[in-house]
Amino acid sequence: MEGHRKEEKTSFVQSLADPGHPVKCSPVIIDNVPLNGPTLNVLMSENFIHQSMSIIVEDAIKKATDVREKVCEWRSPEQLKELLDLELRDGAESESEILQRFKDAIRYSVKTSECLKCNELRSEHEDNTLGKWLPELLWCLCSSDTIIRIMGRSGDNGGSMSNMYAVNLARYRCCPDIKENGLSAAPHLVMFTSQECHYSISKAAALLGIGTKNVYAIPSDERGKMIPSALEEQILSAKSEGAVPFMVNATAGTTVLGAFDPIDEIADICEKHNLWLHVDACWGGAALVSSKHKHLLKGIHRADSVAWNPHKMLMACLQCSAFMVRDKTRCHSARASYLFQQDKFYDVSYDTGDKSVQCSRKPDAFKIWLMWKALGSRELEQRVDRALAMARYLAQEIKQREGFRLLMEPEYANICFWYIPPSLRNLPDGPELWGKLHKVAPVIKERMMKKGSMMVGYQPHGEKANFFRMIIISPQVSRQDMDFVLDEIHNLGKDL
């Protein structure tokens, strides 16, 4: 019993730590982050999953489909805040506490698969999809508390959808009559984003009727960052042509280069011209949880809206995205009286569904909330720090190895590089080298896929030949894995 009690005090993170055996090589430490060996014990993780699934089967499936059980074990929102302990802390909780979170979430959630649950036009009874049950158990209370904590550091939608929401909200603030009168009430609206931005910005413009030609691509510098002076120049040019600028999209962590736009300088320009500032931090937003790297998003507190995907760097389960807005708005409200009655017996401010375009959707905030509970702020911070330290290690190795060339020093966890086969190493830089090198990465990618050894992406960029883009996220990755990646690329391409 004494041993059992001692185990109960062990945090979830500690229980998954791999005691393992000493690594039989010199330790590598970058920025005080050890890079040897994985950080998680797979066997311990497997045991935790088995226990979780047992709870899901017994509590979320058997009881939830039993007509003798309550459809809803009602508690007021205030009571639930205490019962569920929504607060997110720096330290990790124990494995037993996290398992109890599962049970509590199931107990106090509406049993959507119960045959007497007849509140909306949907049901959730699918015996063959057990994996979906747990993420669907909690509601807006979890979303609110998690987002408040995120905003302290700095809706649930996919990243692309979040960016679309931002465009629509920005347009609504500029031209609120569009909501009722449609595009006939709109002037010639234009928006601005860097040439390195995510493609969802143009897709949003197309979907909302703004038009992709009215998305002005602002030049970026050699590091992939938007140039503020070029932004203001294009804003003034658009105004002189009779257009109405309404929004600027800044990117915090571009998809290819991992670049961070200078948000503070862009915010100055937006304030000067009364433009909505949206920050697409879907990839780079995780840097906010790191005291060492949060400077990358300096000025993000000045944004009107922010999109962030914890399912990227923090590795929450897909999909898990947050869309945060500074001010309340009725942009998407339809005031459906059959759903959002104002005379309910509890605080109707918890009915957040009218704020979004979607109606039925999964409460994805539960994933990041539960993960945050299990790991704690310190472990999330270490996860970010380790990924960026690993990126710097890989960059150092690339610079030291013959036949590898770094595109640029990484600012985030994107490492972009070329592999130059021995047959091309004597060619001078020029059209012949780059023309032949452009064909190398696709062949190596094909070989690694067919061999099944690993998956590393590649792409061209502007006039640059195809290069590899290595993205480091997983806390399981060690520096030995990074060495293997470079060794394998060489072995797969040395005959080209």
Side-chain angles (χ1 to χ4, degrees), residues 436-453:
K436 291 182 177 180
L437 195 59
H438 188 69
K439 301 175 183 178
V440 170
V443 175
I444 295 177
K445 178 63 181 286
E446 178 185 359
R447 290 178 177 180
M448 73 172 69
M449 292 287 288
K450 290 181 175 179
K451 182 180 178 182
S453 56

Side-chain angles (χ1 to χ4, degrees), residues 31-78:
D31 289 344
N32 296 319
V33 178
L35 304 183
N36 292 60
T39 60
L40 297 179
N41 184 325
V42 176
L43 293 178
M44 290 295 294
S45 300
E46 184 178 327
N47 180 60
F48 179 78
I49 292 172
H50 284 307
Q51 293 184 69
S52 303
M53 290 305 298
S54 177
I55 293 173
I56 293 171
V57 171
E58 291 299 321
D59 293 24
I61 298 180
K62 290 183 178 179
K63 289 183 180 180
T65 55
D66 188 343
V67 71
R68 295 168 297 182
E69 296 286 337
K70 291 183 178 181
V71 174
C72 172
E73 189 165 331
W74 169 258
R75 295 292 187 279
S76 71
E78 289 72 23

Side-chain angles (χ1 to χ4, degrees), residues 98-127:
I98 295 303
L99 291 171
Q100 187 61 44
R101 302 295 177 209
F102 288 179
K103 296 179 72 69
D104 290 343
I106 295 170
R107 177 179 178 182
Y108 297 113
S109 293
V110 175
K111 307 306 184 289
T112 57
S113 56
E114 232 274 27
C115 62
L116 294 180
K117 189 266 182 183
C118 308
N119 207 55
E120 294 96 19
L121 304 178
R122 63 186 176 91
S123 180
E124 300 292 345
H125 192 169
E126 297 179 35
D127 293 334

Side-chain angles (χ1 to χ4, degrees), residues 51 116 146 173 211 257 263 306 365 382 388-389 398 409 416 430:
Q51 293 184 69
L116 294 180
T146 301
R173 188 181 75 171
L257 302 179
I263 300 173
V306 176
Q382 290 170 13
L388 269 64
I398 288 170
E409 289 288 341
C416 302

